[in-house]
Amino acid sequence: MKGKHNILLFNRKSVPTCKQGEVVCDHTRIKLNRATRTLQCLNCGKKIDPFDHCWRLAEKGEQIMVDIRHLKAERDKVKRELAELRVKKSEIDKS
């Protein structure tokens, strides 16, 4: 394969990972070159270790799953509290 089919771009949220002088680069724009099997940050130009990049993505994915579980638990708690408030309002309205 030649041309643009050998390169994939990855965009993600900011997570600081290296320093370029005084500026922190968060590697939010990654170029994957399929032909050379290398990764490069499009922001700072640093070559990125593919395993390290995959590991960071996996860790981020795990954290997202933990956050989702916490948010679902919070949502369920709010739903229960809302149901309790509706019952109390109903009781007050009947009086």
Side-chain angles (χ1 to χ4, degrees):
M1 290 184 150
K2 291 185 179 181
K4 66 180 181 180
H5 299 290
N6 289 336
I7 297 175
L8 297 175
L9 299 178
F10 294 92
N11 294 314
R12 62 182 176 84
K13 287 193 170 193
S14 297
V15 178
T17 53
C18 81
K19 286 193 175 187
Q20 185 78 355
E22 291 296 316
V23 179
V24 175
C25 181
D26 52 11
H27 304 315
T28 56
R29 297 177 56 231
I30 301 291
K31 176 175 77 172
L32 168 66
N33 188 319
R34 189 173 183 183
T36 61
R37 302 178 67 88
T38 58
L39 300 174
Q40 182 177 11
C41 177
L42 292 174
N43 294 330
C44 71
K46 180 179 178 187
K47 291 196 182 229
I48 309 295
D49 180 87
F51 181 82
D52 289 343
H53 183 68
C54 288
W55 188 263
R56 280 193 306 269
L57 292 176
E59 285 179 330
K60 178 111 176 125
E62 264 186 61
Q63 185 59 53
I64 288 170
M65 296 305 294
V66 168
D67 292 347
I68 287 171
R69 282 194 295 274
H70 287 291
L71 289 170
K72 284 182 177 179
E74 184 69 22
R75 178 201 60 198
D76 293 343
K77 178 183 171 193
V78 169
K79 280 183 178 180
R80 284 190 303 274
E81 290 172 352
L82 181 61
E84 290 171 9
L85 288 172
R86 285 185 175 146
V87 168
K88 286 181 184 178
K89 183 182 183 306
S90 172
E91 291 170 356
I92 291 171
D93 288 346
K94 287 181 182 177
S95 326

